[in-house]
Amino acid sequence: LQIFLMMGTQWRVAIGMSGAAFTGLDHTALWANLNGLCPPEARPDLFAGVCVMERAALPLMNKRSKDE
């Protein structure tokens, strides 16, 4: 959870004719954080966990961005 929260400024956004939409986290930045903060053996599981949180957050974030 701490790594997911640290990634709060690393969301990718696509902007088109219908507005902006969050598309997911910048996985390059995610791996950089994991490499700098976590032991190598923990990184794959932590990456997978953050991806689960990312998939759960995307619909909520996109709903919020449309409501504003």
Side-chain angles (χ1 to χ4, degrees):
L1 178 61
Q2 290 175 337
I3 293 170
F4 178 76
L5 294 174
M6 287 175 54
M7 295 294 296
T9 61
Q10 298 301 317
W11 286 95
R12 298 220 178 234
V13 179
I15 300 175
M17 297 285 285
S18 60
F22 292 94
T23 61
L25 289 169
D26 179 341
H27 287 188
T28 302
L30 174 55
W31 276 111
N33 278 312
L34 292 172
N35 289 337
L37 298 171
C38 306
E41 62 276 5
R43 293 174 194 161
D45 287 338
L46 290 169
F47 180 83
V50 170
C51 288
V52 168
M53 290 181 260
E54 173 188 32
R55 284 190 301 274
L58 275 170
L60 300 171
M61 294 183 68
N62 282 316
K63 180 181 181 330
R64 187 180 75 194
S65 73
K66 288 179 184 174
D67 292 344
E68 292 176 353

